[in-house]
Amino acid sequence: MKNRLLLLEDDTNLSETVCEFLESKGYEVLPVYDGEEAEEKMYEGAFDLLLLDVNVPVLNGFELLKKRRNEGDTTPAIFLTSLNAIEDLEHGYASGCDDYLRKPFALKELLFRIESLLRREFFHPQTTHIVIHETMTYDLQTHQLFSDNHPIQLQNKEAKLLKLFLQKKNEIISHETLMSHVWTYEEQGSDEALRTYIKNLRKLIGKEHIVSIKKLGYKFTL
């Protein structure tokens, strides 16, 4: 399954260049252009890594990441910024970033840093297996479901859906959020397809774990 990245960059030309490059390397990239929009997307769906400019409209990158860290978000984050004073670097790491890349940067260097962080997360994950019930667990890092320690093969969209449910357990997740997380811009999702994937997950993990909230969406409970 593709790693999902959030790119906060208000320079549309740079944003497009970075998106095209990373997508050509097999990543799924969601571009946003101000701090408030970035925060909304983080609440709506899960990401494997955050790429954050600092001097952006509404809510700057330092403030955004510090707020997310205070809320318990441990998603790896790289600041991409023209701020190059040692005080800015100190501020960036104090805000909770994992890396700090000064502009202008080479795209290959950005790729190396992304790969390094994602490898670190894979081998030394913040969260490993989540227990769904006595005989079933899910690994958030490898996107793998296990029953009695035996892996269960999930379709790509089922894996995306289950990962989102587990990261937002006990929260009501709207149909719109589920649709935008499971289907990319180029794909055409449908309510019927979403219900099918949820039905399949319920068969695997138990229907009592995925509760339908009328007119609002779904809630995952353990």
Side-chain angles (χ1 to χ4, degrees), residues 19-55:
C19 283
E20 288 180 356
F21 174 74
L22 293 177
E23 287 169 354
S24 75
K25 300 300 180 182
Y27 292 95
E28 179 184 337
V29 187
L30 177 64
V32 291
Y33 305 98
D34 66 62
E36 186 174 70
E37 184 185 10
E39 185 176 32
E40 288 173 359
K41 295 303 180 185
M42 289 180 201
Y43 283 124
E44 289 176 2
F47 295 91
D48 296 293
L49 190 140
L50 309 173
L51 300 172
L52 306 174
D53 189 8
V54 177
N55 288 329

Side-chain angles (χ1 to χ4, degrees), residues 76-105:
I78 302 174
F79 281 127
L80 310 176
T81 177
S82 57
L83 299 177
N84 55 21
I86 191 65
E87 293 81 10
D88 298 318
L89 184 67
E90 182 181 14
H91 194 175
Y93 281 102
S95 300
C97 77
D98 299 271
D99 204 349
Y100 191 103
L101 184 57
R102 295 178 175 90
K103 296 177 181 177
F105 53 81

Side-chain angles (χ1 to χ4, degrees), residues 59-73:
L59 181 67
N60 76 48
F62 289 157
E63 294 169 347
L64 170 64
L65 186 60
K66 185 175 182 179
K67 183 177 180 182
R68 293 295 297 173
R69 292 296 190 241
N70 289 338
E71 292 170 353
D73 189 342

Side-chain angles (χ1 to χ4, degrees), residues 1 138 143-145 152-163 182-183 193 196-201 204:
M1 189 165 64
Y138 183 80
H143 317 296
Q144 183 69 66
L145 182 67
I152 296 175
Q153 188 63 43
L154 294 175
Q155 293 185 44
N156 179 275
K157 287 181 171 49
E158 291 171 352
K160 282 187 175 183
L161 193 59
L162 182 55
K163 181 179 178 181
V182 174
W183 280 274
T196 298
Y197 289 127
I198 289 175
K199 181 180 178 181
N200 293 343
L201 284 178
L204 289 172

